[in-house]
């Protein structure tokens, strides 16, 4: 499926990587996907991400956190058991969704008593189920039946939660619970939903949802998560891109180190209506639903892998993202190359890290893309400068083997192995790690990637 990037494109020093967050979402509805696409907490690699967010719990009529699925509490146990394997892993519970089309936050934030009931419930529920924090998933204050006054009420909720978490930690001599929120990417929504300069301080980090910029609801093809605007964008669409969204958050006073850039593991699909196949081609509605996600309008990355094996793949240079077409189907998605471009942009803007939506739409089991388990998120992890996982061991040291000394004195990064082009070296803290390309590919140092000879 075209170029398979499996290497670092951005070389980051260790202290930068250690301050980064790689926050990964999992969804409790992915357990209902068929066959190899079924996903539960048992499928998570405990060393892949720094934080895992479990989506999604709700809020009941008593303003208390309530599970959504019959087996959520069993899933909590499985997820938090991963911290026995990786004690550095943090887990958060995401709360949100809708009830009859309305967010459960609307009724809860309407008065101080409702907010206090929710806060007490949150602390108790998170402590009982061994979570490290809470993630607010309200789409969005001041929208979809939420009155404009909810902009200020959201600020009150965030401020009161943060204070209560601080008090709980002091009173019970426990580590303070984390507080994060999934927040909008489109400028009009941001302006209507948030008092940015007031919510940024009490939140530990903000997951900016830098995806769903375009989709089958539009009459022409557009990319799900472009880095920059394109030449076909006009009107408000000139701001439907990562660069514009993050710039707006920063301009409104959000600290760069608290903003996490969203990385999608899915693409948005269209049904083409003419012979045109590029960006901005006429379209009407979505392509057929994927065989595993079974939802019109988007395909998981593992479904895209199968599609691109016979499709015509393309690259949008001005937006630094790929797309593919086959027949009348069109999909704009992310791959390892676009992830690398976004990490470079993210690093250049000193953001606090990345968040992934979602683990369960990457090829988590390695069944579909012939690129190992979690090919996208593993590539993201390496591109952000995180070191090898504990299961990876340095090359063996022998008096006759110069490989073990290869990285001595070299900067962290990737290097070619001149003795075997099907492998490459990763240098990290002076240690040498040997990696192999996928069968048939060789390492090319000019792009820091494995590609066809």
């Amino acid at each position: 499926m075209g170029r398979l990037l499996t290497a670092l494109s951005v070389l980051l020093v260790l202290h930068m990587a250690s301050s980064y967050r790689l926050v990964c979402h999992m969804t409790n509805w992915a357990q209902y996907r068929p066959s190899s696409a079924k996903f539960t907490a048992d499928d998570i690699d405990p060393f892949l991400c720094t934080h895992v967010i479990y989506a999604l719990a709700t809020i009941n009529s008593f303003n208390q956190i309530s599970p959504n699925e019959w087996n959520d509490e069993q899933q909590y146990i499985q997820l938090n058991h991963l911290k026995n394997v990786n004690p550095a892993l943090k887990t958060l519970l995401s709360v949100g969704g809708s009830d009859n089309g309305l967010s459960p936050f609307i009724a809860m934030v309407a008065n101080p008593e409702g907010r206090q009931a929710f806060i007490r419930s949150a602390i108790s529920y998170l402590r009982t189920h061994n979570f490290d924090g809470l993630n607010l998933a309200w789409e969005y204050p001041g929208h979809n039946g939420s009155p404009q006054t909810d902009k200020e009420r959201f600020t009150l909720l965030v401020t009161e939660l943060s204070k209560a978490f601080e008090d709980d930690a002091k009173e019970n001599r426990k580590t303070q619970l984390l507080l994060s929120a999934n927040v909008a990417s489109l400028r009009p929504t941001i302006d209507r939903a948030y008092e940015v300069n007031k919510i940024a301080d009490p939140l530990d980090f903000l997951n900016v949802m830098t995806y769903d910029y375009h989709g089958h609801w539009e009459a022409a093809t557009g990319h799900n998560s472009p880095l920059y605007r394109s030449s076909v964008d006009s009107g408000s669409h000139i701001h439907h891109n990562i660069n514009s969204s993050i710039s707006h958050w920063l301009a409104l006073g959000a600290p760069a180190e608290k903003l996490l850039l969203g990385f999608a593991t899915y693409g948005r699909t269209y049904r083409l209506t003419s012979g045109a196949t590029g960006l901005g081609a006429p379209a009407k509605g979505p392509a057929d639903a994927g065989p595993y996600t079974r939802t019109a309008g988007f395909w998981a990355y593992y479904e895209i892998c199968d599609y691109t094996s016979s499709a015509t793949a393309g690259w949008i240079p001005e937006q630094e993202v790929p797309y593919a077409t086959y027949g009348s189907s069109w999909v704009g998605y992310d791959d390892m190359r676009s992830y690398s471009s976004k990490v470079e942009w993210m690093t250049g803007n000193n953001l606090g890290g990345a968040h992934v939506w979602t683990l369960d739409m990457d090829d988590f089991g390695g069944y579909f893309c012939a690129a190992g388990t979690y090919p996208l998120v593993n590539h993201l992890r390496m591109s952000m400068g995180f070191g090898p996982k504990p299961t990876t061991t340095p090359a063996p040291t022998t008096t006759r083997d110069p490989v073990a000394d290869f990285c001595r004195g070299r900067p962290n990064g990737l290097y070619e192995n001149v003795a075997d082009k099907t492998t490459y070296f990763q240098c990290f803290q002076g240690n040498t790690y040997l990696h192999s390309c996928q069968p048939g590919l060789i390492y090319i140092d000019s792009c820091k990637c494995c590609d066809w000879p």
Side-chain angles (χ1 to χ4, degrees):
M1 46 173 288
R3 177 169 290 178
L4 296 177
L5 297 174
T6 60
L8 291 167
S9 68
V10 183
L11 307 183
L12 304 175
V13 296
L14 175 61
H15 74 86
M16 291 177 66
S18 64
S19 66
Y20 262 20
R21 293 183 177 93
L22 175 51
V23 176
C24 301
H25 301 260
M26 66 160 288
T27 60
N28 56 3
W29 55 88
Q31 65 181 310
Y32 299 116
R33 292 179 184 143
S35 184
S36 300
K38 177 181 178 180
F39 182 95
T40 67
D42 285 339
D43 292 299
I44 295 174
D45 176 347
F47 294 102
L48 185 62
C49 310
T50 61
H51 301 64
V52 174
I53 296 180
Y54 185 100
L56 192 69
T58 189
I59 304 168
N60 65 22
S61 58
F62 300 103
N63 297 315
Q64 297 178 329
I65 290 183
S66 177
N68 262 324
E69 292 292 343
W70 60 277
N71 62 342
D72 272 341
E73 296 188 353
Q74 179 60 39
Q75 289 279 300
Y76 301 161
I77 294 172
Q78 294 171 350
L79 172 61
N80 287 308
H81 180 74
L82 299 177
K83 292 186 285 189
N84 294 333
V85 182
N86 177 14
L89 179 67
K90 302 296 183 185
T91 62
L92 293 87
L93 179 64
S94 190
V95 178
S98 64
D99 183 13
N100 295 320
L102 294 176
S103 169
F105 282 98
I106 298 172
M108 182 268 287
V109 300
N111 56 66
E113 295 77 18
R115 295 194 300 272
Q116 287 306 308
F118 173 76
I119 292 168
R120 288 192 299 271
S121 165
I123 293 171
S124 173
Y125 199 84
L126 295 171
R127 293 300 191 194
T128 298
H129 295 289
N130 198 29
F131 282 100
D132 300 295
L134 179 70
N135 180 67
L136 304 173
W138 184 357
E139 300 181 21
Y140 303 95
H143 295 76
N144 306 318
S146 166
Q148 184 55 49
T149 51
D150 279 351
K151 179 177 183 176
E152 291 78 21
R153 290 170 179 165
F154 183 67
T155 301
L156 289 172
L157 174 65
V158 167
T159 304
E160 292 165 2
L161 272 166
S162 179
K163 179 64 165 61
F165 284 1
E166 183 180 353
D167 292 343
D168 164 70
K170 290 177 180 177
E171 292 170 9
N172 297 295
R173 297 185 179 182
K174 293 183 177 180
T175 302
Q176 185 171 328
L177 294 165
L178 297 169
L179 182 60
S180 67
N182 294 353
V183 295
S185 60
L186 297 183
R187 291 188 175 205
T189 308
I190 297 167
D191 293 342
R192 185 176 176 87
Y194 313 112
E195 297 179 291
V196 173
N197 60 334
K198 295 182 180 179
I199 65 171
D201 183 59
L203 288 168
D204 290 289
F205 54 90
L206 296 87
N207 302 316
V208 188
M209 295 186 285
T210 44
Y211 35 76
D212 292 343
Y213 286 107
H214 298 283
H216 67 273
W217 52 87
E218 298 170 342
T221 59
H223 196 277
N224 176 50
S225 183
L227 189 49
Y228 304 104
R229 64 174 291 189
S230 79
S231 55
V232 304
D233 288 331
S234 61
S236 63
H237 281 188
I238 66 172
H239 295 303
H240 286 211
N241 59 79
I242 287 170
N243 183 66
S244 181
S245 295
I246 300 298
S247 297
H248 195 57
W249 274 100
L250 293 171
L252 293 174
E257 65 272 14
K258 287 197 174 185
L259 296 179
L260 303 191
L261 186 63
F263 286 75
T265 58
Y266 67 95
R268 286 283 173 186
T269 72
Y270 296 80
R271 179 72 62 195
L272 299 172
T273 58
S274 74
T277 60
L279 191 68
K284 184 177 182 180
D288 293 340
Y292 299 99
T293 52
R294 300 175 294 185
T295 303
F298 81 94
W299 294 336
Y301 181 68
Y302 55 78
E303 293 170 320
I304 295 169
C305 283
D306 182 59
Y307 174 78
T308 54
S309 65
S310 55
T312 300
W315 181 258
I316 309 169
E318 56 189 344
Q319 298 189 303
E320 300 193 25
V321 284
Y323 70 97
T325 61
Y326 183 82
S328 63
S329 299
W330 193 100
V331 60
Y333 61 103
D334 274 284
D335 63 4
M336 298 176 191
R337 182 180 177 186
S338 66
Y339 267 30
S340 293
S341 296
K342 292 176 180 180
V343 169
E344 185 173 10
W345 187 94
M346 179 180 77
T347 305
N349 285 275
N350 300 309
L351 301 190
H355 77 101
V356 175
W357 186 269
T358 61
L359 285 175
D360 48 77
M361 290 192 287
D362 195 1
D363 185 14
F364 59 89
Y367 304 120
F368 300 94
C369 302
T373 59
Y374 290 107
L376 283 181
V377 184
N378 265 308
H379 178 74
L380 175 60
R381 185 181 186 278
M382 287 183 66
S383 296
M384 290 175 67
F386 289 101
K389 298 174 188 175
T391 53
T392 307
T393 56
T397 302
T398 70
T399 56
R400 294 173 297 172
D401 185 4
V403 168
D405 291 329
F406 179 86
C407 289
R408 185 171 296 171
R410 295 181 189 261
N412 293 347
L414 297 191
Y415 300 87
E416 65 179 337
N417 179 9
V418 294
D420 180 3
K421 291 187 178 297
T422 66
T423 65
Y424 58 94
F425 298 126
Q426 179 187 9
C427 295
F428 187 75
Q429 295 181 279
N431 290 318
T432 306
Y433 300 84
L434 186 65
H435 297 281
S436 297
C437 293
Q438 295 301 311
L441 306 183
I442 63 171
Y443 179 78
I444 299 175
D445 199 51
S446 60
C447 69
K448 301 292 181 186
C449 70
C450 293
D451 204 350
W452 298 104

